[in-house]
């Protein structure tokens, strides 16, 4: 059954890609539609998460090689990254701090617990970093993983749309914005836009995780 689940997942994703090309919209973003459709199909087939886990683990293992493969567009666009390194670094730091602060303040405004406030602060970084960072500031690791997934999907769905609505068409800027707040899931969407967007987004994803790891332990108590 594991092989069937893997084939089903790939088929759903490829179908989502075709749908996105034919009907371009934030709501036909492959990451969003494939996730939603796959969840519905598994529920209809009465397939539990435990049954799907072996297939999930095998596909998740491939994230390692896929992440390493992002070095290829990074290398090809190294001159662009080098020429705009300083403004990009400034924008990334501001974006990372803004993302942390806005998440905590919104959670606080809704009267959510300190644990949820701490957990929401790490929603914009990749899952392994988010889980460890959440523990340091008193968040919930399991909830952190869920927040990261939701933030990534929303970033992939609405990020390109919002950037276009704000007339931000520069490939470098689009990749930087998406990668800073939407980590790997957003980067997968940026890659579909173009090689520059994908390269910059992957670099931003990595640097945002590093910045968050360094600043979160002292920045979180200041804004809480």
């Amino acid at each position: 059954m594991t092989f069937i689940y893997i084939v089903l997942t790939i088929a759903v994703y490829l179908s989502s890609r075709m749908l996105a090309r034919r009907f371009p919209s934030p709501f036909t973003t492959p990451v969003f539609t494939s996730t939603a459709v796959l969840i519905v199909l598994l529920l209809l087939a009465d397939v539990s998460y435990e049954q799907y886990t072996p297939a999930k683990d095998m596909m998740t293992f491939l994230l390692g090689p896929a992440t390493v493969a992002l070095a290829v567009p990074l290398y090809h666009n190294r001159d662009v990254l080098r020429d705009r390194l300083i403004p990009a670094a400034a924008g990334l730091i501001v974006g990372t701090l803004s993302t942390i602060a806005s998440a905590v303040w919104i959670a606080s405004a809704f009267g959510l617990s300190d644990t949820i406030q701490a957990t929401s602060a790490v929603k914009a970084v990749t899952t392994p970093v988010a889980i460890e960072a959440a523990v340091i500031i008193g968040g919930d690791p399991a909830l952190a993983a869920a927040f990261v997934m939701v933030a990534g999907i929303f970033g992939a769905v609405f990020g390109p749309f919002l950037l276009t609505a704000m007339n931000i068409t520069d490939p470098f800027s689009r990749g930087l914005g998406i990668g800073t707040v939407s980590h790997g899931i957003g980067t997968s969407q940026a890659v579909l836009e173009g090689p520059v967007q994908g390269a910059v987004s992957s670099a931003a994803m990595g640097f945002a995780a590093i910045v968050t790891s360094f600043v979160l332990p002292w920045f979180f108590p200041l804004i809480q």
Side-chain angles (χ1 to χ4, degrees):
M1 292 301 293
T2 298
F3 177 74
I4 294 177
Y5 296 150
I6 292 175
V7 172
L8 174 64
T9 303
I10 294 174
V12 169
Y13 180 75
L14 292 177
S15 299
S16 300
R17 289 284 303 273
M18 295 174 60
L19 179 67
R21 284 196 294 267
R22 185 163 185 176
F23 303 102
S25 164
F27 298 102
T28 58
T29 302
V31 172
F32 174 73
T33 53
S34 60
T35 301
V37 170
L38 189 61
I39 289 174
V40 171
L41 290 177
L42 293 178
L43 288 175
L44 291 176
D46 196 28
V47 176
S48 67
Y49 180 76
E50 288 73 19
Q51 292 173 296
Y52 183 74
T53 294
K56 182 266 296 181
D57 289 341
M58 292 182 66
M59 290 182 286
T60 301
F61 173 79
L62 296 177
L63 284 175
T67 302
V68 173
L70 290 173
V72 175
L74 273 175
Y75 177 78
H76 289 160
N77 294 278
R78 62 190 183 280
D79 292 335
V80 177
L81 292 167
R82 187 186 304 114
D83 293 342
R84 304 173 69 171
L85 179 60
I86 294 178
L92 190 146
I93 292 172
V94 172
T96 300
L97 296 179
S98 299
T99 299
I100 296 172
S102 62
V104 173
W105 289 339
I106 290 174
S108 177
F110 280 95
L112 301 179
S113 67
D114 291 345
T115 300
I116 295 181
Q117 290 180 38
T119 306
S120 65
V122 301
K123 66 177 179 57
V125 294
T126 188
T127 304
V129 176
I131 290 174
E132 296 300 325
V135 173
I136 293 174
I137 61 174
D140 185 298
L143 192 58
F147 281 5
V148 168
M149 290 296 297
V150 172
I153 292 176
F154 269 80
V157 172
F158 295 106
F161 170 76
L162 292 174
L163 290 171
T164 301
M166 298 175 66
N167 200 31
I168 299 175
T169 58
D170 176 58
F172 189 98
S173 301
R174 293 177 69 89
L176 184 67
I178 293 173
T180 300
V181 300
S182 301
H183 44 83
I185 299 177
T187 297
S188 68
Q189 183 63 27
V191 169
L192 297 179
E193 286 199 3
V196 175
Q197 292 93 318
V200 177
S201 183
S202 61
M205 172 183 69
F207 280 109
I210 294 172
V211 171
T212 300
S213 300
F214 276 104
V215 306
L216 193 63
W218 62 264
F219 184 60
F220 176 70
L222 293 177
I223 62 176
Q224 192 177 23

